[in-house]
Amino acid sequence: TAASLCTGSSVAGITSEDLREKVLRHLPYASGKDLQGLKFLRGMDPLVTTIMRDPTEFASNYVQVCPAGAAAFATNAAMLALMSNPALFERFSSLAHFILKGHTELALLGAADWGIFHALAK
């Protein structure tokens, strides 16, 4: 639905539509096998860096406006941290848990649109 796709919302200058497209495009490479992990790193690292450079907007606004997108982003950021900076894994996995716990119904409504369960299964 349009609500679960968060049409018209954005974070750090990235529209929800672009965020969703990048998450879904790079999620299949999250296995980390062979060159797939490199494709995931190259695709997701700039996105995570841009959004987390100043996480205030993400935490204070985007999580409430687009919980499904925020949960998908945090889940993918946690997987990225496992590959590139394990010290950040706990932070991003806790963020994903916080979003899913606090916005369960809305996150579940958009889970299929954002690939949340696919990401969690990785």
PDB file of all heavy atoms in Angstrom, residues 21-54:
ATOM      1  N   GLU A  21      14.169   1.055  -2.991  1.00  0.00           N
ATOM      2  CA  GLU A  21      14.735   0.464  -4.197  1.00  0.00           C
ATOM      3  C   GLU A  21      16.155  -0.030  -3.939  1.00  0.00           C
ATOM      4  O   GLU A  21      16.528  -1.130  -4.340  1.00  0.00           O
ATOM      5  CB  GLU A  21      14.707   1.512  -5.326  1.00  0.00           C
ATOM      6  CG  GLU A  21      15.145   0.983  -6.680  1.00  0.00           C
ATOM      7  CD  GLU A  21      16.650   1.081  -6.892  1.00  0.00           C
ATOM      8  OE1 GLU A  21      17.273   2.041  -6.404  1.00  0.00           O
ATOM      9  OE2 GLU A  21      17.206   0.168  -7.520  1.00  0.00           O
ATOM     10  N   LYS A  22      16.970   0.749  -3.235  1.00  0.00           N
ATOM     11  CA  LYS A  22      18.347   0.348  -2.960  1.00  0.00           C
ATOM     12  C   LYS A  22      18.407  -0.831  -1.995  1.00  0.00           C
ATOM     13  O   LYS A  22      19.209  -1.745  -2.172  1.00  0.00           O
ATOM     14  CB  LYS A  22      19.137   1.543  -2.414  1.00  0.00           C
ATOM     15  CG  LYS A  22      19.421   2.561  -3.482  1.00  0.00           C
ATOM     16  CD  LYS A  22      20.141   3.769  -2.948  1.00  0.00           C
ATOM     17  CE  LYS A  22      20.322   4.766  -4.084  1.00  0.00           C
ATOM     18  NZ  LYS A  22      20.878   6.019  -3.661  1.00  0.00           N
ATOM     19  N   VAL A  23      17.554  -0.808  -0.979  1.00  0.00           N
ATOM     20  CA  VAL A  23      17.519  -1.928  -0.033  1.00  0.00           C
ATOM     21  C   VAL A  23      17.147  -3.215  -0.766  1.00  0.00           C
ATOM     22  O   VAL A  23      17.817  -4.239  -0.623  1.00  0.00           O
ATOM     23  CB  VAL A  23      16.539  -1.633   1.127  1.00  0.00           C
ATOM     24  CG1 VAL A  23      16.183  -2.903   1.892  1.00  0.00           C
ATOM     25  CG2 VAL A  23      17.134  -0.593   2.075  1.00  0.00           C
ATOM     26  N   LEU A  24      16.091  -3.162  -1.556  1.00  0.00           N
ATOM     27  CA  LEU A  24      15.639  -4.371  -2.260  1.00  0.00           C
ATOM     28  C   LEU A  24      16.626  -4.822  -3.331  1.00  0.00           C
ATOM     29  O   LEU A  24      16.779  -6.017  -3.560  1.00  0.00           O
ATOM     30  CB  LEU A  24      14.255  -4.143  -2.867  1.00  0.00           C
ATOM     31  CG  LEU A  24      13.119  -3.972  -1.854  1.00  0.00           C
ATOM     32  CD1 LEU A  24      11.813  -3.660  -2.571  1.00  0.00           C
ATOM     33  CD2 LEU A  24      12.968  -5.198  -0.968  1.00  0.00           C
ATOM     34  N   ARG A  25      17.307  -3.872  -3.969  1.00  0.00           N
ATOM     35  CA  ARG A  25      18.277  -4.228  -5.019  1.00  0.00           C
ATOM     36  C   ARG A  25      19.499  -4.920  -4.424  1.00  0.00           C
ATOM     37  O   ARG A  25      20.050  -5.844  -5.019  1.00  0.00           O
ATOM     38  CB  ARG A  25      18.717  -2.988  -5.786  1.00  0.00           C
ATOM     39  CG  ARG A  25      19.700  -3.331  -6.896  1.00  0.00           C
ATOM     40  CD  ARG A  25      20.042  -2.202  -7.851  1.00  0.00           C
ATOM     41  NE  ARG A  25      19.618  -0.900  -7.449  1.00  0.00           N
ATOM     42  CZ  ARG A  25      20.439   0.137  -7.291  1.00  0.00           C
ATOM     43  NH1 ARG A  25      21.730   0.012  -7.473  1.00  0.00           N
ATOM     44  NH2 ARG A  25      19.975   1.317  -6.951  1.00  0.00           N
ATOM     45  N   HIS A  26      19.944  -4.490  -3.247  1.00  0.00           N
ATOM     46  CA  HIS A  26      21.177  -5.030  -2.686  1.00  0.00           C
ATOM     47  C   HIS A  26      20.965  -6.175  -1.690  1.00  0.00           C
ATOM     48  O   HIS A  26      21.897  -6.912  -1.396  1.00  0.00           O
ATOM     49  CB  HIS A  26      21.990  -3.905  -2.034  1.00  0.00           C
ATOM     50  CG  HIS A  26      22.494  -2.940  -3.051  1.00  0.00           C
ATOM     51  ND1 HIS A  26      21.864  -1.753  -3.317  1.00  0.00           N
ATOM     52  CD2 HIS A  26      23.542  -3.013  -3.904  1.00  0.00           C
ATOM     53  CE1 HIS A  26      22.513  -1.132  -4.281  1.00  0.00           C
ATOM     54  NE2 HIS A  26      23.531  -1.871  -4.659  1.00  0.00           N
ATOM     55  N   LEU A  27      19.765  -6.331  -1.191  1.00  0.00           N
ATOM     56  CA  LEU A  27      19.475  -7.384  -0.211  1.00  0.00           C
ATOM     57  C   LEU A  27      19.865  -8.786  -0.678  1.00  0.00           C
ATOM     58  O   LEU A  27      20.426  -9.558   0.101  1.00  0.00           O
ATOM     59  CB  LEU A  27      18.003  -7.333   0.200  1.00  0.00           C
ATOM     60  CG  LEU A  27      17.558  -8.319   1.270  1.00  0.00           C
ATOM     61  CD1 LEU A  27      18.360  -8.119   2.555  1.00  0.00           C
ATOM     62  CD2 LEU A  27      16.073  -8.134   1.542  1.00  0.00           C
ATOM     63  N   PRO A  28      19.639  -9.154  -1.941  1.00  0.00           N
ATOM     64  CA  PRO A  28      20.028 -10.502  -2.364  1.00  0.00           C
ATOM     65  C   PRO A  28      21.525 -10.790  -2.224  1.00  0.00           C
ATOM     66  O   PRO A  28      21.937 -11.939  -2.150  1.00  0.00           O
ATOM     67  CB  PRO A  28      19.609 -10.556  -3.838  1.00  0.00           C
ATOM     68  CG  PRO A  28      18.519  -9.550  -3.958  1.00  0.00           C
ATOM     69  CD  PRO A  28      18.888  -8.457  -2.989  1.00  0.00           C
ATOM     70  N   TYR A  29      22.353  -9.760  -2.156  1.00  0.00           N
ATOM     71  CA  TYR A  29      23.801  -9.937  -2.050  1.00  0.00           C
ATOM     72  C   TYR A  29      24.287 -10.013  -0.602  1.00  0.00           C
ATOM     73  O   TYR A  29      25.484 -10.123  -0.359  1.00  0.00           O
ATOM     74  CB  TYR A  29      24.518  -8.788  -2.757  1.00  0.00           C
ATOM     75  CG  TYR A  29      24.124  -8.650  -4.208  1.00  0.00           C
ATOM     76  CD1 TYR A  29      23.518  -7.484  -4.667  1.00  0.00           C
ATOM     77  CD2 TYR A  29      24.331  -9.684  -5.105  1.00  0.00           C
ATOM     78  CE1 TYR A  29      23.143  -7.358  -5.996  1.00  0.00           C
ATOM     79  CE2 TYR A  29      23.961  -9.564  -6.435  1.00  0.00           C
ATOM     80  CZ  TYR A  29      23.367  -8.398  -6.878  1.00  0.00           C
ATOM     81  OH  TYR A  29      22.999  -8.276  -8.187  1.00  0.00           O
ATOM     82  N   ALA A  30      23.375  -9.953   0.346  1.00  0.00           N
ATOM     83  CA  ALA A  30      23.760  -9.883   1.759  1.00  0.00           C
ATOM     84  C   ALA A  30      24.302 -11.187   2.319  1.00  0.00           C
ATOM     85  O   ALA A  30      24.748 -11.219   3.458  1.00  0.00           O
ATOM     86  CB  ALA A  30      22.572  -9.419   2.600  1.00  0.00           C
ATOM     87  N   SER A  31      24.296 -12.233   1.549  1.00  0.00           N
ATOM     88  CA  SER A  31      24.809 -13.508   2.045  1.00  0.00           C
ATOM     89  C   SER A  31      26.297 -13.435   2.351  1.00  0.00           C
ATOM     90  O   SER A  31      26.801 -14.197   3.167  1.00  0.00           O
ATOM     91  CB  SER A  31      24.548 -14.625   1.031  1.00  0.00           C
ATOM     92  OG  SER A  31      25.327 -14.407  -0.132  1.00  0.00           O
ATOM     93  N   GLY A  32      26.993 -12.533   1.694  1.00  0.00           N
ATOM     94  CA  GLY A  32      28.417 -12.380   1.937  1.00  0.00           C
ATOM     95  C   GLY A  32      29.277 -13.421   1.241  1.00  0.00           C
ATOM     96  O   GLY A  32      30.483 -13.459   1.430  1.00  0.00           O
ATOM     97  N   LYS A  33      28.675 -14.274   0.425  1.00  0.00           N
ATOM     98  CA  LYS A  33      29.430 -15.322  -0.275  1.00  0.00           C
ATOM     99  C   LYS A  33      30.148 -14.734  -1.487  1.00  0.00           C
ATOM    100  O   LYS A  33      29.558 -14.018  -2.283  1.00  0.00           O
ATOM    101  CB  LYS A  33      28.484 -16.428  -0.734  1.00  0.00           C
ATOM    102  CG  LYS A  33      27.831 -17.169   0.400  1.00  0.00           C
ATOM    103  CD  LYS A  33      26.872 -18.217  -0.125  1.00  0.00           C
ATOM    104  CE  LYS A  33      26.157 -18.897   1.021  1.00  0.00           C
ATOM    105  NZ  LYS A  33      25.100 -19.774   0.556  1.00  0.00           N
ATOM    106  N   ASP A  34      31.399 -15.054  -1.592  1.00  0.00           N
ATOM    107  CA  ASP A  34      32.207 -14.652  -2.737  1.00  0.00           C
ATOM    108  C   ASP A  34      32.102 -13.144  -2.982  1.00  0.00           C
ATOM    109  O   ASP A  34      32.262 -12.363  -2.071  1.00  0.00           O
ATOM    110  CB  ASP A  34      31.808 -15.454  -3.979  1.00  0.00           C
ATOM    111  CG  ASP A  34      31.955 -16.956  -3.750  1.00  0.00           C
ATOM    112  OD1 ASP A  34      32.961 -17.352  -3.126  1.00  0.00           O
ATOM    113  OD2 ASP A  34      31.070 -17.703  -4.167  1.00  0.00           O
ATOM    114  N   LEU A  35      31.801 -12.767  -4.201  1.00  0.00           N
ATOM    115  CA  LEU A  35      31.717 -11.359  -4.552  1.00  0.00           C
ATOM    116  C   LEU A  35      30.374 -10.737  -4.193  1.00  0.00           C
ATOM    117  O   LEU A  35      30.220  -9.532  -4.274  1.00  0.00           O
ATOM    118  CB  LEU A  35      31.987 -11.181  -6.047  1.00  0.00           C
ATOM    119  CG  LEU A  35      33.413 -11.494  -6.492  1.00  0.00           C
ATOM    120  CD1 LEU A  35      33.554 -11.342  -7.998  1.00  0.00           C
ATOM    121  CD2 LEU A  35      34.407 -10.608  -5.774  1.00  0.00           C
ATOM    122  N   GLN A  36      29.422 -11.564  -3.781  1.00  0.00           N
ATOM    123  CA  GLN A  36      28.122 -11.018  -3.411  1.00  0.00           C
ATOM    124  C   GLN A  36      28.233 -10.072  -2.224  1.00  0.00           C
ATOM    125  O   GLN A  36      27.598  -9.022  -2.197  1.00  0.00           O
ATOM    126  CB  GLN A  36      27.132 -12.136  -3.106  1.00  0.00           C
ATOM    127  CG  GLN A  36      26.694 -12.875  -4.340  1.00  0.00           C
ATOM    128  CD  GLN A  36      25.542 -13.804  -4.070  1.00  0.00           C
ATOM    129  OE1 GLN A  36      25.076 -13.931  -2.945  1.00  0.00           O
ATOM    130  NE2 GLN A  36      25.068 -14.458  -5.108  1.00  0.00           N
ATOM    131  N   GLY A  37      29.040 -10.435  -1.261  1.00  0.00           N
ATOM    132  CA  GLY A  37      29.227  -9.577  -0.101  1.00  0.00           C
ATOM    133  C   GLY A  37      29.806  -8.227  -0.489  1.00  0.00           C
ATOM    134  O   GLY A  37      29.408  -7.187   0.054  1.00  0.00           O
ATOM    135  N   LEU A  38      30.700  -8.222  -1.449  1.00  0.00           N
ATOM    136  CA  LEU A  38      31.287  -6.976  -1.928  1.00  0.00           C
ATOM    137  C   LEU A  38      30.230  -6.102  -2.605  1.00  0.00           C
ATOM    138  O   LEU A  38      30.199  -4.886  -2.410  1.00  0.00           O
ATOM    139  CB  LEU A  38      32.432  -7.271  -2.886  1.00  0.00           C
ATOM    140  CG  LEU A  38      33.217  -6.070  -3.387  1.00  0.00           C
ATOM    141  CD1 LEU A  38      33.813  -5.287  -2.224  1.00  0.00           C
ATOM    142  CD2 LEU A  38      34.311  -6.531  -4.336  1.00  0.00           C
ATOM    143  N   LYS A  39      29.334  -6.714  -3.374  1.00  0.00           N
ATOM    144  CA  LYS A  39      28.254  -5.958  -4.011  1.00  0.00           C
ATOM    145  C   LYS A  39      27.344  -5.339  -2.954  1.00  0.00           C
ATOM    146  O   LYS A  39      26.895  -4.201  -3.089  1.00  0.00           O
ATOM    147  CB  LYS A  39      27.428  -6.862  -4.932  1.00  0.00           C
ATOM    148  CG  LYS A  39      28.135  -7.246  -6.198  1.00  0.00           C
ATOM    149  CD  LYS A  39      27.247  -8.130  -7.054  1.00  0.00           C
ATOM    150  CE  LYS A  39      27.950  -8.589  -8.298  1.00  0.00           C
ATOM    151  NZ  LYS A  39      27.106  -9.460  -9.128  1.00  0.00           N
ATOM    152  N   PHE A  40      27.067  -6.099  -1.892  1.00  0.00           N
ATOM    153  CA  PHE A  40      26.233  -5.583  -0.805  1.00  0.00           C
ATOM    154  C   PHE A  40      26.933  -4.407  -0.125  1.00  0.00           C
ATOM    155  O   PHE A  40      26.325  -3.359   0.112  1.00  0.00           O
ATOM    156  CB  PHE A  40      25.934  -6.697   0.200  1.00  0.00           C
ATOM    157  CG  PHE A  40      25.027  -6.278   1.320  1.00  0.00           C
ATOM    158  CD1 PHE A  40      23.679  -6.069   1.103  1.00  0.00           C
ATOM    159  CD2 PHE A  40      25.523  -6.108   2.599  1.00  0.00           C
ATOM    160  CE1 PHE A  40      22.840  -5.683   2.133  1.00  0.00           C
ATOM    161  CE2 PHE A  40      24.691  -5.731   3.641  1.00  0.00           C
ATOM    162  CZ  PHE A  40      23.349  -5.517   3.408  1.00  0.00           C
ATOM    163  N   LEU A  41      28.218  -4.572   0.177  1.00  0.00           N
ATOM    164  CA  LEU A  41      28.992  -3.501   0.817  1.00  0.00           C
ATOM    165  C   LEU A  41      29.012  -2.236  -0.043  1.00  0.00           C
ATOM    166  O   LEU A  41      28.751  -1.137   0.453  1.00  0.00           O
ATOM    167  CB  LEU A  41      30.431  -3.953   1.059  1.00  0.00           C
ATOM    168  CG  LEU A  41      30.665  -4.899   2.224  1.00  0.00           C
ATOM    169  CD1 LEU A  41      32.070  -5.465   2.163  1.00  0.00           C
ATOM    170  CD2 LEU A  41      30.447  -4.186   3.535  1.00  0.00           C
ATOM    171  N   ARG A  42      29.309  -2.400  -1.300  1.00  0.00           N
ATOM    172  CA  ARG A  42      29.393  -1.246  -2.198  1.00  0.00           C
ATOM    173  C   ARG A  42      28.051  -0.548  -2.368  1.00  0.00           C
ATOM    174  O   ARG A  42      27.997   0.664  -2.529  1.00  0.00           O
ATOM    175  CB  ARG A  42      29.923  -1.664  -3.559  1.00  0.00           C
ATOM    176  CG  ARG A  42      31.396  -1.919  -3.553  1.00  0.00           C
ATOM    177  CD  ARG A  42      31.891  -2.180  -4.954  1.00  0.00           C
ATOM    178  NE  ARG A  42      33.332  -2.378  -4.965  1.00  0.00           N
ATOM    179  CZ  ARG A  42      33.976  -2.952  -5.930  1.00  0.00           C
ATOM    180  NH1 ARG A  42      33.324  -3.393  -6.995  1.00  0.00           N
ATOM    181  NH2 ARG A  42      35.281  -3.093  -5.880  1.00  0.00           N
ATOM    182  N   GLY A  43      26.986  -1.319  -2.354  1.00  0.00           N
ATOM    183  CA  GLY A  43      25.667  -0.725  -2.543  1.00  0.00           C
ATOM    184  C   GLY A  43      25.100  -0.083  -1.292  1.00  0.00           C
ATOM    185  O   GLY A  43      24.482   0.983  -1.350  1.00  0.00           O
ATOM    186  N   MET A  44      25.329  -0.715  -0.150  1.00  0.00           N
ATOM    187  CA  MET A  44      24.700  -0.243   1.082  1.00  0.00           C
ATOM    188  C   MET A  44      25.554   0.728   1.892  1.00  0.00           C
ATOM    189  O   MET A  44      25.017   1.572   2.608  1.00  0.00           O
ATOM    190  CB  MET A  44      24.310  -1.437   1.957  1.00  0.00           C
ATOM    191  CG  MET A  44      23.181  -2.279   1.404  1.00  0.00           C
ATOM    192  SD  MET A  44      21.633  -1.387   1.141  1.00  0.00           S
ATOM    193  CE  MET A  44      21.235  -0.908   2.811  1.00  0.00           C
ATOM    194  N   ASP A  45      26.869   0.618   1.813  1.00  0.00           N
ATOM    195  CA  ASP A  45      27.712   1.463   2.654  1.00  0.00           C
ATOM    196  C   ASP A  45      27.480   2.959   2.438  1.00  0.00           C
ATOM    197  O   ASP A  45      27.327   3.695   3.417  1.00  0.00           O
ATOM    198  CB  ASP A  45      29.186   1.109   2.470  1.00  0.00           C
ATOM    199  CG  ASP A  45      30.055   1.831   3.483  1.00  0.00           C
ATOM    200  OD1 ASP A  45      29.801   1.686   4.694  1.00  0.00           O
ATOM    201  OD2 ASP A  45      30.975   2.555   3.062  1.00  0.00           O
ATOM    202  N   PRO A  46      27.404   3.451   1.201  1.00  0.00           N
ATOM    203  CA  PRO A  46      27.147   4.885   1.031  1.00  0.00           C
ATOM    204  C   PRO A  46      25.794   5.310   1.603  1.00  0.00           C
ATOM    205  O   PRO A  46      25.660   6.398   2.165  1.00  0.00           O
ATOM    206  CB  PRO A  46      27.182   5.095  -0.486  1.00  0.00           C
ATOM    207  CG  PRO A  46      27.893   3.912  -1.035  1.00  0.00           C
ATOM    208  CD  PRO A  46      27.646   2.789  -0.081  1.00  0.00           C
ATOM    209  N   LEU A  47      24.806   4.442   1.484  1.00  0.00           N
ATOM    210  CA  LEU A  47      23.477   4.732   2.005  1.00  0.00           C
ATOM    211  C   LEU A  47      23.502   4.833   3.532  1.00  0.00           C
ATOM    212  O   LEU A  47      22.994   5.797   4.115  1.00  0.00           O
ATOM    213  CB  LEU A  47      22.518   3.624   1.556  1.00  0.00           C
ATOM    214  CG  LEU A  47      21.043   3.797   1.820  1.00  0.00           C
ATOM    215  CD1 LEU A  47      20.499   4.951   0.998  1.00  0.00           C
ATOM    216  CD2 LEU A  47      20.310   2.515   1.456  1.00  0.00           C
ATOM    217  N   VAL A  48      24.109   3.860   4.181  1.00  0.00           N
ATOM    218  CA  VAL A  48      24.193   3.851   5.646  1.00  0.00           C
ATOM    219  C   VAL A  48      25.016   5.038   6.127  1.00  0.00           C
ATOM    220  O   VAL A  48      24.633   5.720   7.090  1.00  0.00           O
ATOM    221  CB  VAL A  48      24.777   2.518   6.160  1.00  0.00           C
ATOM    222  CG1 VAL A  48      25.037   2.571   7.653  1.00  0.00           C
ATOM    223  CG2 VAL A  48      23.821   1.370   5.827  1.00  0.00           C
ATOM    224  N   THR A  49      26.113   5.317   5.462  1.00  0.00           N
ATOM    225  CA  THR A  49      26.961   6.445   5.850  1.00  0.00           C
ATOM    226  C   THR A  49      26.198   7.765   5.745  1.00  0.00           C
ATOM    227  O   THR A  49      26.253   8.598   6.653  1.00  0.00           O
ATOM    228  CB  THR A  49      28.226   6.499   4.971  1.00  0.00           C
ATOM    229  OG1 THR A  49      28.939   5.272   5.137  1.00  0.00           O
ATOM    230  CG2 THR A  49      29.116   7.657   5.342  1.00  0.00           C
ATOM    231  N   THR A  50      25.476   7.960   4.668  1.00  0.00           N
ATOM    232  CA  THR A  50      24.714   9.197   4.471  1.00  0.00           C
ATOM    233  C   THR A  50      23.653   9.370   5.547  1.00  0.00           C
ATOM    234  O   THR A  50      23.537  10.446   6.150  1.00  0.00           O
ATOM    235  CB  THR A  50      24.052   9.198   3.074  1.00  0.00           C
ATOM    236  OG1 THR A  50      25.071   9.132   2.078  1.00  0.00           O
ATOM    237  CG2 THR A  50      23.208  10.445   2.868  1.00  0.00           C
ATOM    238  N   ILE A  51      22.886   8.339   5.818  1.00  0.00           N
ATOM    239  CA  ILE A  51      21.796   8.446   6.787  1.00  0.00           C
ATOM    240  C   ILE A  51      22.322   8.551   8.210  1.00  0.00           C
ATOM    241  O   ILE A  51      21.808   9.321   9.027  1.00  0.00           O
ATOM    242  CB  ILE A  51      20.810   7.269   6.629  1.00  0.00           C
ATOM    243  CG1 ILE A  51      20.090   7.391   5.281  1.00  0.00           C
ATOM    244  CG2 ILE A  51      19.808   7.226   7.781  1.00  0.00           C
ATOM    245  CD1 ILE A  51      19.222   6.218   4.909  1.00  0.00           C
ATOM    246  N   MET A  52      23.375   7.816   8.530  1.00  0.00           N
ATOM    247  CA  MET A  52      23.870   7.792   9.902  1.00  0.00           C
ATOM    248  C   MET A  52      24.910   8.878  10.201  1.00  0.00           C
ATOM    249  O   MET A  52      25.344   9.012  11.334  1.00  0.00           O
ATOM    250  CB  MET A  52      24.449   6.417  10.232  1.00  0.00           C
ATOM    251  CG  MET A  52      23.379   5.340  10.343  1.00  0.00           C
ATOM    252  SD  MET A  52      22.348   5.578  11.799  1.00  0.00           S
ATOM    253  CE  MET A  52      20.762   5.953  11.106  1.00  0.00           C
ATOM    254  N   ARG A  53      25.265   9.671   9.209  1.00  0.00           N
ATOM    255  CA  ARG A  53      26.194  10.782   9.463  1.00  0.00           C
ATOM    256  C   ARG A  53      25.627  11.662  10.570  1.00  0.00           C
ATOM    257  O   ARG A  53      26.340  12.134  11.439  1.00  0.00           O
ATOM    258  CB  ARG A  53      26.415  11.589   8.189  1.00  0.00           C
ATOM    259  CG  ARG A  53      27.465  12.681   8.352  1.00  0.00           C
ATOM    260  CD  ARG A  53      27.863  13.289   7.026  1.00  0.00           C
ATOM    261  NE  ARG A  53      28.636  12.309   6.250  1.00  0.00           N
ATOM    262  CZ  ARG A  53      28.365  11.962   4.990  1.00  0.00           C
ATOM    263  NH1 ARG A  53      27.361  12.516   4.356  1.00  0.00           N
ATOM    264  NH2 ARG A  53      29.099  11.078   4.359  1.00  0.00           N
ATOM    265  N   ASP A  54      24.315  11.904  10.509  1.00  0.00           N
ATOM    266  CA  ASP A  54      23.603  12.597  11.577  1.00  0.00           C
ATOM    267  C   ASP A  54      22.295  11.834  11.792  1.00  0.00           C
ATOM    268  O   ASP A  54      21.304  12.084  11.106  1.00  0.00           O
ATOM    269  CB  ASP A  54      23.324  14.049  11.210  1.00  0.00           C
ATOM    270  CG  ASP A  54      22.558  14.781  12.306  1.00  0.00           C
ATOM    271  OD1 ASP A  54      22.379  14.221  13.405  1.00  0.00           O
ATOM    272  OD2 ASP A  54      22.137  15.923  12.052  1.00  0.00           O
TER     273      ASP A  54
END
